[in-house]
Amino acid sequence: MSELAVNGGTPVRSTPLPSVFNAAGRRFGDEEVAAAERVLRSGMLSATWGTEVRALEREFASLLGAGHSVACSSGTAALHLAVAAVNPEPGDEIITTPISDMGTVFPIIMQNAVPVFADVDLTTGSLDPAAVEAAITPRTKAVLAVHLFGKPAPIRELRALCDKHGLLLIEDCAQAYLAPVGDVYAGRVGDIGCFSLQQSKHISAGDGGLVITDDAALARRMRLFTDKGWPRDTDERTYLFLALNYRMTELTAAVTRVQLTRLAQVVDDRRTGAAKLTAGIGDLIGLLPPRDDGDHVYWQYPLLLDGNIHPWAAALTAEGVPCTPGYLTEPLYAAPAIRSKVTYGGSGFPLRDVEYPPGLCPNAETLINDRLVVLPWNENYSGADVDDIVTAIRKVHTALES
Ligand SMILES: *Cc1c(COP(=O)(O)O)cnc(C)c1O
């Protein structure tokens, strides 16, 4: 066995893999350039009078089979639209997960509701429906589930739970474009599905967000929330409720419309590469590849180890295959904004009467501290790139397990 690169040996891989942070790992072509130019030359960059954002909304709704779509300025904004549509009273509760991007949680607090963190499944990192049910109180208004890394959460079980208790269900699909859930896509089981166009997602325009829903009233409320509550559909210059400006621009929409045409292939190519990796490491003891029931769309590729994730991840990164131990450094509830309630001035509002102690969600903490290693994934990995990743993982795992 050759010397590990972390100990001074030769790395498996000396040239960088394609990455979402450079052109090699993104599919921006002449069509995106033409789309951006078309908007610039039209002189109309705002969706209020332009046509691109409205066209994107129609195309996205149709791609996912949804009744309505509303575009906005980020994935976090999309989630804020969804929470605003739930319209919680101050202090009402929304149950969500401790393993996600903070964009899942801050919109709840911004709307003066309280995030209640339910624990996750120890293998997938997705919300455990039993933990969600146990967290329901008379103040619960909604459940906000995340399809982590591109693997659908148990959304049908959560749907049944929400129906039983009269709660709205929001799906955070930022990592899960076109992930099948039975005969529909993720985002179509909940009342609202939220998507992101940030740089690292399956498709991107730098930043941007989209929501889908079948409910016309929720859709209208979300559209108003992108536009200061201004009901442009009735031609009145008035402001119906407290809201912000979360509008998407025509430039973003024009680029995204082209990206949409590439999405199915991006997902296919990510799945093909991931299947090859899984086949190449499936026999290793003490390492669990992600479960795939034909439904994982691999925003990233999560691995489960028995422990020692930090030296393992450092060794793999040194081999030229970057990866992140734990995905997060801490569960979302341990961030100062939440645990120390750094919110509005010194008030702690709306978290004054809640505590988020260590150990709140033991499975999430075990995953982050001891089990999870996440590899960035990419649609542009060649077969040879995946072979290198397999070689590097086998080298590191064999060396560190013996
Ligand atoms: C990226 C992401 C967000 C936030 O999206 P932005 O566009 O970066 O605001 C929210 N939730 C999840 C699960 C994400 O991956």
Side-chain angles (χ1 to χ4, degrees):
M1 174 51 61
S2 55
E3 182 88 22
L4 288 178
V6 76
N7 297 331
T10 308
V12 169
R13 174 95 194 184
S14 48
T15 54
L17 288 160
S19 145
V20 295
F21 301 114
N22 57 51
R26 300 278 66 185
R27 294 186 181 172
F28 297 126
D30 293 343
E31 295 86 348
E32 281 85 349
V33 173
E37 182 174 351
R38 175 178 77 231
V39 171
L40 283 167
R41 294 210 183 277
S42 80
M44 175 47 67
L45 276 59
S46 165
T48 306
W49 303 275
T51 57
E52 299 284 346
V53 171
R54 296 293 95 83
L56 170 64
E57 290 169 343
R58 284 193 300 273
E59 288 158 8
F60 192 65
S62 142
L63 178 68
L64 294 201
H68 309 269
S69 174
V70 178
C72 57
S73 54
S74 72
T76 304
L79 287 148
H80 199 176
L81 264 54
V83 173
V86 169
N87 200 18
E89 297 296 326
D92 278 350
E93 296 167 359
I94 296 183
I95 299 171
T96 192
T97 172
I99 305 184
S100 183
D101 180 86
M102 193 56 100
T104 307
V105 177
F106 277 173
I108 298 172
I109 303 174
M110 293 299 297
Q111 286 308 106
N112 292 317
V114 174
V116 172
F117 294 92
D119 207 355
V120 299
D121 179 273
L122 200 44
T123 57
T124 62
S126 281
L127 275 176
D128 170 5
V132 171
E133 181 151 40
I136 294 172
T137 77
R139 296 221 65 171
T140 308
K141 283 293 173 309
V143 173
L144 202 178
V146 175
H147 301 293
L148 191 64
F149 307 131
K151 168 74 180 171
I155 202 72
R156 298 256 183 226
E157 289 91 325
L158 294 173
R159 174 81 269 174
L161 213 55
C162 287
D163 289 345
K164 178 171 149 198
H165 293 273
L167 310 175
L168 288 173
L169 177 60
I170 303 168
E171 292 179 69
D172 180 344
C173 307
Q175 305 180 357
Y177 280 96
L178 300 188
V181 178
D183 57 355
V184 297
Y185 290 122
R188 298 271 294 114
V189 180
D191 299 280
I192 300 169
C194 303
F195 297 81
S196 164
L197 297 163
Q198 179 260 2
Q199 179 72 33
S200 76
K201 312 303 186 188
H202 289 77
I203 53 171
S204 181
D207 270 310
L210 288 156
V211 298
I212 55 169
T213 182
D214 282 342
D215 184 311
L218 291 177
R220 180 161 194 265
R221 202 172 157 80
M222 291 194 283
R223 181 171 305 291
L224 287 166
F225 197 74
T226 67
D227 204 10
K228 297 162 279 183
W230 185 344
R232 296 188 201 251
D233 51 350
T234 62
D235 268 341
E236 295 161 275
R237 179 138 197 183
T238 185
Y239 305 94
L240 297 176
F241 56 81
L242 182 66
L244 297 167
N245 173 357
Y246 276 150
R247 297 187 304 251
M248 179 184 278
T249 75
E250 291 285 278
L251 279 167
T252 300
V255 170
T256 303
R257 291 177 70 195
V258 183
Q259 288 275 287
L260 271 194
T261 68
R262 307 192 194 281
L263 179 55
Q265 193 64 53
V266 166
V267 168
D268 261 18
D269 292 347
R270 282 177 175 247
R271 285 185 48 75
T272 302
K276 185 173 164 68
L277 173 55
T278 299
I281 60 176
D283 61 314
L284 294 174
I285 310 276
L287 180 158
L288 194 65
R291 176 169 171 171
D292 186 344
D293 304 290
D295 57 355
H296 204 310
V297 295
Y298 298 98
W299 176 62
Q300 299 202 327
Y301 186 102
L303 280 170
L304 293 182
L305 304 182
D306 289 340
N308 292 319
I309 57 173
H310 290 272
W312 197 98
L316 188 64
T317 300
E319 297 298 337
V321 177
C323 61
T324 311
Y327 175 53
L328 306 173
T329 49
E330 58 193 8
L332 295 177
Y333 55 72
I338 297 180
R339 178 165 285 165
S340 305
K341 308 171 186 183
V342 186
T343 54
Y344 298 98
S347 70
F349 194 80
L351 308 178
R352 259 198 331 228
D353 303 326
V354 225
E355 295 300 331
Y356 299 98
L360 180 63
C361 297
N363 289 350
E365 295 187 14
T366 298
L367 281 169
I368 292 166
N369 297 327
D370 298 319
R371 294 281 169 80
L372 190 58
V373 174
V374 179
L375 277 67
W377 207 243
N378 202 278
E379 57 275 20
N380 291 349
Y381 286 168
S382 66
D385 291 333
V386 178
D387 286 340
D388 283 346
I389 298 171
V390 169
T391 304
I393 290 176
R394 298 194 73 88
K395 179 182 174 187
V396 164
H397 197 65
T398 311
L400 293 187
E401 291 298 292
S402 53

